Amino acid sequence: MGINMEKFYKARNMAVDKLLEHQNPDGSFSGNVDFNAWADAAYLILLHELGVEEDVEDLKKDLLCRMKEDGSWGALSDGSQSEPDYKSTVIAYTALDRYGENMEKTERWLKSYSGSIWLDPYTEMMIREKGEKFFFPPAVLAYIPSWIGKALGYLHMKFPKVFFWSYFLFPSAWTRNAFPQLQIVGTRKNGRRIGIMTKKALDILEKRILDTQLRNGSWFDTILPTIGALYALHLSGYGNDEECMQAGLQFLRMQKQEKGRLNRFDLTIWNTSLAISSLLEVKDGEPEIREAVQKGIYFLTQNQGVSGGWAFTHSNRELPDHDDTALALIALKKAEVRGYKVAKRTIQKGYAFLLSRQNVDGGWGAFDKNQSVKQPGLLPPYHVEYGHELKDPSTADVTGHALLALSFRNDRMAGEAIDRARNWLKKDQAGNCWYGRWGLCYYYGTSRALLGLAAAGEKQTEPYVKRSVSWMENTQNDDGGWGENYRSYYFRTPVPDKSTLEHTAWCVLSLMKYKDADREAIDRGIAYLADKIMAGTEASYAAAAIEPACYEIYASVFPLQALAEYEKYISGQK
């Protein structure tokens, strides 16, 4: 199949222009993210509790617009693209009902609903009235030193069947950060008498919340913990005029998108690392590309954490993670190879952090080291198996990114880490593919694993590698693209769907690294990308962060990288 190169170059240039629109004056890249109705409904409930009227009408209007015809809300923000979701429906109903909206249609849907009615503790925290009982971790857990939790995590890694309960005492980092809010709200709402021990525990938890508020008024630079923290402080007696409350509310107001809904977070480090990596692949880059890359490099080097790692946003350096650290290292090393000036110390510190965080099983989790393990393949979401949010085990996508980062090094320490990571990936394969936790889902996980393995020098003739390459080739859609339904995130096998820019780019990028991959499949994928870019196709729900999401910048950054690398690919094929 021949590629129309005139269209190809036009599409590539359009992708460059579109991506550069996301760059901020400080060199970072930003983009809106969209999940479901949960956060906006929780914000409405918070505003009702605080007696704040600002933003209420816009939020109510947008929430009602997202209601499905049957009165429910979907698992995705755009209800028309997803099935009804009980959790989203319950919290949206609660929020709107408290403002006196007519919710008869939703009440009929809830009465007729026959599926699981289990709700996670955070949803319960927001919807329950004072005196209503719900599960929450007891406040007295605040007395347990963190070193005990870490020790239990290590024992869980070594003896998972014996210490399977450890992650309830030492949960994932994002859960630990939300526990104080949940513990305070639960204790204040349950109506029981608060004893001396519990009162002292609440004081400890309250101090933890106050100590972790960032300069921009948020908690961890995201809206969900910020909503929870403000709710907990409110129930602890803090008034709206207190500085901590004012700053938190102002942060939430600043996250409003055009439609009135909230932007959950701005992944400035993640987006910038991806953008630099893509722009660096553009052959004969224009001066504006070089300038954008240089500004992005400066932004990354200026926002490295003290530990040597990078967080997902520049305002939250105290919470570095392994995925963002790996992507930042990839971007900086690629830039260094192409002649850009990058501080050696920055790269050295980044590698020291990443290598120190490898789990004993050989993989990498997102935030924690040796916190928990999972069975090979799927990591069941909490909708399927309680405890999903509490776990931060090794995953294929993060481990694949770590392999990509380490592939730039040629020393014994990196080599040993690479060998252990390859062995873990081989064991974690789910049939012909890998599950991806931080992207949707099997295409994401498989593409990250294949890219990492190729960069690390894994033999392309290895049966497990060939199986995944063949699976990718054999699941291509008739239009030349690849696509996956959001339900894959909750299933033990992939759920195919219509093609998307993101899934197609991931697959093409992976196949180009394997010399025996079907050239026609690659060409068809590139043709699909060029057509859709020219048509102005927008991002889809191909991202994930515990739940499926839509990341606006993905529609630019990954297709651009695929097109740019394809130009080099065909040059090498000739």
Side-chain angles (χ1 to χ4, degrees):
M1 175 185 177
I3 298 291
N4 183 328
M5 295 308 293
E6 182 180 356
K7 179 185 286 187
F8 171 88
Y9 286 118
K10 284 184 178 178
R12 188 200 66 180
N13 293 338
M14 284 180 65
V16 169
D17 292 342
K18 188 69 175 175
L19 181 56
L20 291 179
E21 290 176 4
H22 288 279
Q23 190 166 32
N24 301 311
D26 65 358
S28 67
F29 285 75
S30 295
N32 288 335
V33 302
D34 204 10
F35 284 80
N36 51 37
W38 196 99
D40 302 283
Y43 184 32
L44 263 180
I45 292 172
L46 173 67
L47 294 178
H48 186 268
E49 289 283 338
L50 299 180
V52 176
E53 297 183 2
E54 188 176 350
D55 294 336
V56 167
E57 291 306 316
D58 286 344
L59 285 163
K60 284 165 52 179
K61 182 179 179 181
D62 182 64
L63 207 53
L64 287 167
C65 286
R66 286 187 274 173
M67 183 197 293
K68 296 170 72 71
E69 283 295 320
D70 61 5
S72 69
W73 276 262
L76 307 179
S77 187
D78 184 349
S80 65
Q81 297 186 38
S82 62
E83 297 175 351
D85 179 64
Y86 180 74
K87 180 182 76 169
S88 297
T89 301
V90 166
I91 194 167
Y93 167 80
T94 302
L96 293 168
D97 182 62
R98 289 186 182 177
Y99 282 97
E101 295 292 331
N102 185 342
M103 304 303 295
E104 291 181 3
K105 188 186 290 188
T106 304
E107 289 169 356
R108 287 195 296 270
W109 184 88
L110 289 170
K111 287 179 181 178
S112 66
Y113 177 73
S114 58
S116 171
I117 59 172
W118 179 81
L119 294 172
D120 62 275
Y122 305 100
T123 302
E124 298 264 26
M125 175 183 87
M126 298 305 302
I127 68 172
R128 298 305 174 197
E129 299 281 4
K130 194 168 185 178
E132 290 186 302
K133 300 295 187 291
F134 66 94
F135 169 78
F136 61 93
V140 292
L141 290 179
Y143 292 118
I144 299 178
S146 60
W147 67 265
I148 292 180
K150 291 179 180 180
L152 287 171
Y154 181 80
L155 290 170
H156 175 82
M157 297 289 292
K158 289 291 188 180
F159 311 104
K161 291 184 179 179
V162 177
F163 291 92
F164 66 90
W165 47 269
S166 68
Y167 54 80
F168 289 98
L169 291 180
F170 184 63
S172 58
W174 59 90
T175 307
R176 292 198 302 276
N177 293 333
F179 260 23
Q181 308 153 18
L182 181 59
Q183 290 166 302
I184 289 176
V185 174
T187 303
R188 298 289 185 190
K189 275 191 172 184
N190 73 8
R192 295 179 182 175
R193 180 178 172 273
I194 297 176
I196 295 176
M197 291 292 289
T198 301
K199 174 66 171 63
K200 289 183 178 179
L202 289 175
D203 291 340
I204 294 171
L205 295 169
E206 182 183 316
K207 185 176 186 304
R208 285 181 188 172
I209 290 177
L210 292 171
D211 288 347
T212 52
Q213 187 173 25
L214 299 177
R215 290 182 179 180
N216 64 4
S218 76
W219 278 263
F220 309 105
D221 210 22
T222 68
I223 65 170
L224 297 189
T226 301
I227 289 171
L230 291 173
Y231 198 10
L233 292 174
H234 167 70
L235 292 181
S236 300
Y238 285 76
N240 294 354
D241 57 347
E242 304 255 13
E243 185 178 348
C244 58
M245 299 291 287
Q246 291 258 328
L249 287 169
Q250 180 59 22
F251 171 81
L252 292 175
R253 293 187 193 103
M254 295 296 292
Q255 308 315 306
K256 281 182 63 177
Q257 300 181 34
E258 291 180 6
K259 296 179 181 178
R261 68 189 63 166
L262 296 177
N263 199 38
R264 255 190 215 195
F265 36 62
D266 188 2
L267 303 171
T268 49
I269 300 294
W270 180 263
N271 292 338
T272 303
S273 299
L274 289 173
I276 291 174
S277 288
S278 292
L279 292 168
L280 284 168
E281 297 298 337
V282 178
K283 188 178 180 181
D284 302 323
E286 298 293 329
E288 62 177 355
I289 293 179
R290 292 191 61 84
E291 182 183 354
V293 169
Q294 193 64 64
K295 289 170 65 179
I297 292 170
Y298 181 78
F299 174 81
L300 289 179
T301 56
Q302 292 299 303
N303 287 285
Q304 185 178 29
V306 175
S307 65
W310 280 267
F312 51 86
T313 77
H314 64 284
S315 298
N316 191 26
R317 299 182 200 175
E318 294 79 8
L319 189 62
D321 67 88
H322 314 144
D323 219 4
D324 281 276
T325 298
L327 285 187
L329 285 170
I330 293 166
L332 294 176
K333 285 300 292 183
K334 285 173 72 170
E336 185 181 55
V337 169
R338 286 159 175 77
Y340 290 86
K341 186 177 180 180
V342 182
K344 298 286 186 185
R345 180 62 177 155
T346 297
I347 292 175
Q348 289 170 355
K349 287 175 60 181
Y351 275 121
F353 175 81
L354 187 63
L355 285 166
S356 72
R357 305 295 292 175
Q358 187 173 23
N359 288 332
V360 294
D361 62 12
W364 277 265
F367 291 88
D368 283 310
K369 177 182 179 180
N370 297 332
Q371 188 267 339
S372 60
V373 294
K374 71 179 183 69
Q375 294 180 352
L378 174 69
L379 176 67
Y382 63 84
H383 302 71
V384 179
E385 177 185 292
Y386 180 68
H388 165 70
E389 273 201 345
L390 307 180
K391 297 178 182 178
D392 188 9
S394 299
T395 59
D397 44 331
V398 181
T399 303
H401 285 154
L403 276 176
L404 275 166
L406 292 173
S407 69
F408 287 95
R409 289 181 47 154
N410 187 25
D411 58 89
R412 182 180 60 82
M413 184 178 290
E416 291 175 353
I418 286 172
D419 288 342
R420 293 168 56 210
R422 285 191 300 201
N423 289 335
W424 182 83
L425 279 172
K426 190 172 183 178
K427 295 175 185 176
D428 188 61
Q429 191 180 40
N432 299 324
C433 49
W434 281 273
Y435 180 91
R437 189 178 203 184
W438 305 100
L440 190 65
C441 169
Y442 290 93
Y443 283 132
Y444 183 73
T446 303
S447 67
R448 304 303 96 183
L450 286 176
L451 288 169
L453 289 167
E458 180 64 293
K459 293 178 181 178
Q460 301 196 0
T461 55
E462 283 285 333
Y464 80 106
V465 173
K466 293 177 69 175
R467 283 199 305 270
S468 288
V469 172
S470 296
W471 170 75
M472 210 170 258
E473 293 170 338
N474 294 332
T475 54
Q476 188 174 24
N477 289 334
D478 292 339
D479 61 6
W482 283 264
E484 192 171 358
N485 191 272
Y486 77 94
R487 292 178 298 152
S488 275
Y489 205 58
Y490 311 119
F491 278 60
R492 295 186 180 275
T493 53
V495 180
D497 206 347
K498 62 184 180 181
S499 300
T500 72
L501 286 168
E502 298 92 333
H503 291 111
T504 303
W506 295 336
C507 291
V508 168
L509 283 165
S510 302
L511 293 176
M512 285 191 291
K513 301 300 182 184
Y514 290 84
K515 58 184 177 60
D516 292 332
D518 185 354
R519 169 67 187 270
E520 184 179 350
I522 294 170
D523 288 348
R524 292 175 62 220
I526 290 295
Y528 170 87
L529 290 174
D531 285 342
K532 295 303 178 182
I533 290 170
M534 295 286 287
T537 303
E538 296 182 346
S540 64
Y541 288 90
I546 306 302
E547 296 175 318
C550 174
Y551 289 5
E552 179 187 25
I553 201 171
Y554 277 18
S556 303
V557 70
F558 289 113
L560 171 60
Q561 186 171 356
L563 294 178
E565 291 197 18
Y566 178 78
E567 188 175 4
K568 298 177 182 178
Y569 171 78
I570 57 176
S571 297
Q573 293 275 310
K574 291 177 181 177

